[in-house]
Amino acid sequence: MSSSENRRVVVTGYGTVTAAGIGFEALWDALMAHRTLFGPINKVPDHAAEVALDAEVPDFDPEEHGLTRKEARRLDPFSQYAILAADEAVAQSGIDFLAEDRDRIGVVCGTGMGGLSTLVDSQTKLDAKHSQRAINPLLVPVMAPNMASANLALRYGLHGENFAITTACASSTHSIGEAMRLIRHGYEDVVLAGGTEMVVCDITLCGFADLSALSKQTDPALASLPFDARRSGFVLSEGAGILMLESLEHAQERGAEILAEVAGFGSTCDAYHMTAPDPSGEGPARAMRQAIEEAGADPSDLDYLNAHGTATEYNDATESTALHLVCGDHTPDVLVHSVKGNIGHSLGAAGGIEAAVTVRCIQDGTVPGTCGFAEPDPACDVTVTADNTEREIGLALSTSLGFGGHNAALAFAPYRA
């Protein structure tokens, strides 16, 4: 049943899988210590791409992290990552699904490319054997982009709305925003939302390299430099970020600890170019304004922007321009930070990971330094954090820009009764 009443939506848990390892604390420690997590491309040692580094989940063994042998064998890594991130979010939230009305609990888990690694592996086997028997009978359901969401519902027995959003690198942010709307307008009481990605394979590396999107640096310290004048592209990574969202009333009724409030969401399209953002910045600026307005706030209230910050020439400049369009004279007072100097760009998972970081920044009153940032670029005239900075955050934005001109922005705020 839907309701015209706008309900408040809160975060009660979050979990991540990143190049820092399994679990959010490993990521937070890396951010606070300014550690870059780039290394040789171990998953594709004989790759054809003209790049040297990526950011892989280290020494990943699904069974060591609690997945069954069947899950390890039958699920693509993008689904496995989603499960582990969701398990962490569920545990932190303290929710007991068996005590809940699971018809009122949904899942929205985005991805940019779904089970691409399974597809590539299957094509290789088919080419080698030229036989239908070379293909896993479950190939289609294993690789389908909706299967991370589906597998989360299967794991917890959740019967509410369940779908996947694919808007390239904005997939997670759109997923969290749409999940917020499901709760705000009364369709669900609880939603697991975020995104997941595992596309470290030769074809992806070559594809992004051909677009001149990937950094060719061999020095990890110089490979990903968001907003820095020396930036030369992003480092491909993988992982997942999942948030537990609930209506305020639901969280209060079960006595949950409220970590932050999802106060607003904005979504727009540039309709400008397949890969390049509109340099005017108007598209992401409109999304940011929408999120701020829905939060009942003013641009002068903004304290922190967790930027998409890919360390590509056009993205960082466009985001900087957008922030100026939104905040005007207040722009220098907004702390800007990107995690991609530490963990690279996990495409459809990026927004979920960054949303979790944004919530933690609000909780701790600290914004990490942007790893690698040392030489400001006049085209990025914003206040990028070079060092960890203490700041009481009253309003934060987490933004994502995706190929195709997709722009999404989430507004987070501390919970206030």
Side-chain angles (χ1 to χ4, degrees), residues 22-365:
I22 310 299
F24 184 83
E25 293 307 318
L27 170 60
W28 187 250
D29 288 346
L31 296 180
M32 297 302 287
H34 299 182
R35 288 201 310 273
T36 57
L37 298 164
F38 311 132
I41 304 172
N42 295 318
K43 289 188 173 178
V44 197
D46 191 29
H47 64 87
E50 296 175 358
V51 294
L53 303 171
D54 71 354
E56 301 174 13
V57 177
D59 303 319
F60 180 66
D61 183 331
E63 291 184 62
E64 286 185 3
H65 296 287
L67 297 184
T68 66
R69 181 167 297 182
K70 182 178 179 181
E71 290 168 330
R73 187 177 67 251
R74 298 179 67 172
L75 301 183
D76 184 272
F78 94 107
S79 286
Q80 295 174 9
Y81 291 167
I83 287 171
L84 294 178
D87 280 353
E88 183 181 18
V90 169
Q92 185 181 30
S93 75
I95 196 168
D96 178 2
F97 286 129
L98 294 178
E100 298 289 337
D101 178 358
R102 286 176 286 170
D103 291 351
R104 300 277 301 170
I105 303 177
V107 182
V108 187
C109 187
T111 183
M113 299 186 185
L116 182 63
S117 62
T118 293
L119 176 61
V120 170
D121 181 62
S122 298
Q123 184 66 57
T124 300
K125 291 177 180 177
L126 183 60
D127 289 343
K129 296 186 177 181
H130 198 63
S131 168
Q132 178 180 321
R133 296 180 182 275
I135 299 301
N136 182 342
L138 294 175
L139 169 63
V140 173
V142 168
M143 62 174 261
N146 67 301
M147 291 311 293
S149 280
N151 280 303
L152 291 178
L154 286 166
R155 187 171 186 79
Y156 308 120
L158 308 179
H159 302 291
E161 292 203 42
N162 187 293
F163 54 92
I165 290 177
T166 298
T167 49
C169 305
S171 299
S172 286
T173 303
H174 275 124
S175 296
I176 296 169
E178 291 301 327
M180 182 201 77
R181 287 174 173 172
L182 289 175
I183 297 170
R184 186 180 293 282
H185 300 303
Y187 294 98
E188 305 290 352
D189 297 321
V190 180
V191 182
L192 276 171
T196 184
E197 201 82 89
M198 205 310 277
V199 292
V200 178
C201 50
D202 208 3
I203 195 168
T204 316
L205 289 163
C206 288
F208 281 113
D210 280 346
L211 287 171
S212 300
L214 298 183
S215 171
K216 295 182 180 180
Q217 283 284 349
T218 57
D219 182 351
L222 300 175
S224 179
L225 305 174
F227 298 99
D228 193 285
R230 301 163 296 159
R231 66 190 184 279
S232 60
F234 67 79
V235 175
L236 187 65
S237 74
E238 56 180 355
I242 303 290
L243 272 57
M244 175 69 82
L245 305 184
E246 304 184 45
S247 72
L248 174 59
E249 296 83 358
H250 186 275
Q252 288 175 327
E253 285 175 4
R254 68 179 192 86
E257 179 184 2
I258 297 172
L259 309 178
E261 183 168 355
V262 192
F265 172 51
S267 178
T268 66
C269 184
D270 288 350
Y272 172 78
H273 190 270
M274 287 176 63
T275 59
D278 182 347
S280 74
E282 182 53 40
R286 285 190 295 114
M288 293 161 71
R289 288 193 197 100
Q290 289 172 7
I292 292 170
E293 289 172 4
E294 186 173 20
D298 185 85
S300 62
D301 298 320
L302 184 63
D303 296 303
Y304 168 47
L305 171 65
N306 189 307
H308 193 53
T310 57
T312 56
E313 179 182 358
Y314 295 117
N315 176 94
D316 295 4
T318 299
E319 279 198 279
S320 300
T321 298
L323 186 61
H324 276 275
L325 290 174
V326 172
C327 292
D329 292 341
H330 177 61
T331 302
D333 299 321
V334 180
L335 297 181
V336 177
H337 165 239
S338 170
V339 304
K340 293 183 176 71
N342 304 85
I343 61 170
H345 190 2
S346 56
L347 309 182
I353 294 166
E354 290 155 12
V357 170
T358 303
V359 172
R360 184 57 169 267
C361 289
I362 290 172
Q363 289 179 275
D364 285 10

